[in-house]
Amino acid sequence: MSSSQLPLPAHFLWGAATAAHQIEGNNTNSDWWQKEHSGTPQIAEPSLDACDSYHRWREDMDLLVELGFTDYRFSVEWARVEPAPGHFSPAELAHYRRMVDGAIERGLRPMVTLHHFTVPRWFAERGGWTADGAVDLFARYVAATAPVIGSGVRHVCTINEPNMIAVMAGAAKAGDIGWGPVGTPAPDGATTEAVIAAHRAAVRAVKDIDADIQVGWTVANQNYQALPGAEDVTAAYRYPREDVFLEAARGDDFLGVQAYTRTRVGPEGPIPTPEDAERTLTDWEYYPPAIGPALRHSADVVGEVPLIVTENGIATDDDTRRIDYYTGALSEVAAAIEDGLDIRGYYAWSALDNYEWGSYEPTFGLIAVDPVTFERTPKPSAAWLGGIGRTRELPRVAS
Ligand code: BGC
């Protein structure tokens, strides 16, 4: 095995990512809080205080800067900003503005996500994304975030993983909100259409706030890999789960690419991960190169649109595997840059061990969080990965 380095391109974003519901705590007005407290069988435990980042965001940002990161992706929580239809909370908008200012003061460039899986309870109760007027309601919320994103924010993500929103809606309609053992449930078509329309409306609303803000959305890439002879089956399987959302990003300022593992597809469809494969705490196959083919496939679909890795990481309690995972992943990013892909940044998922949508067990964090005292303890991987923000050199490992 030999190794070398690739200098990061100028202005390359080097960050870690989080999402409001997963770290803030007490997001009581959201649909997820409701779900967590209504006996949903797939939810092992509720989020409760999460990492208390609603109060401790300064500490989180201080740590990221100390570690060497120059960028931070976090989300604004719609359920807090608009607790009742049409009522936009000046106090919550001021809270998120303080976060934006706090990031900038510390030398962290904020990337702001406007929607990361959770919606206000009232929005869910009126029928969610497919109800009449949903797109306009989302656009109205986006317009209302002007005091937060209106200055100093260069990158805005409209909707995180719209394809997973459609998949979860599809699974729920099929009477099973859980994940099957193999592959990804079929997305709900009406939800797909609605979130694409919501993205378009949100892009317009952000541009109305400031035309210079770079706007995009972030798509989950499952890395569908065709076994010999299954190329057509794979393409057909992938289209509604991924490509339709990538096509909707054509013409955007950037596309966020998110990948963690792979799914292999045979002539009959996705096949199970082999019994003897290493698995992570989410039970996904340990597959460090995931981000490479995800970037390349995304580029094939979106063409000239710049790419940003907006999430990539691993749930493990063995931090040496996390470093190993990121080493493999960054080699793929380096190779893709060398091959001429226009990649503008990389954000690790996640800054903190956080609420992984139903459980605190899968730990994705670079920084551990004590569930009672909320004390933060950076792991060795945090110093290692953050340090690349100082050396500005990507590791490249050729085996
Ligand atoms: C989501 C995150 C999630 C992560 C790991 C992505 O699907 O954007 O919220 O925690 O992957 O599952």
Side-chain angles (χ1 to χ4, degrees), residues 264-287:
R264 285 182 296 167
V265 184
E268 310 301 326
I271 60 162
T273 304
E275 282 300 316
D276 58 351
E278 180 178 345
R279 285 160 192 267
T280 69
L281 291 176
T282 40
D283 211 31
W284 301 340
E285 182 185 355
Y286 177 79
Y287 189 65

Side-chain angles (χ1 to χ4, degrees), residues 131-179:
D132 277 355
V135 169
D136 291 343
L137 288 170
F138 182 61
R140 184 176 69 171
Y141 150 68
V142 174
T145 64
V148 180
I149 61 171
S151 64
V153 176
R154 174 110 177 113
H155 291 96
V156 166
C157 311
T158 58
I159 299 176
N160 181 70
E161 296 193 348
N163 50 337
M164 290 301 116
I165 296 174
V167 159
M168 287 187 275
K173 274 198 182 163
D176 168 27
I177 70 158
W179 224 254

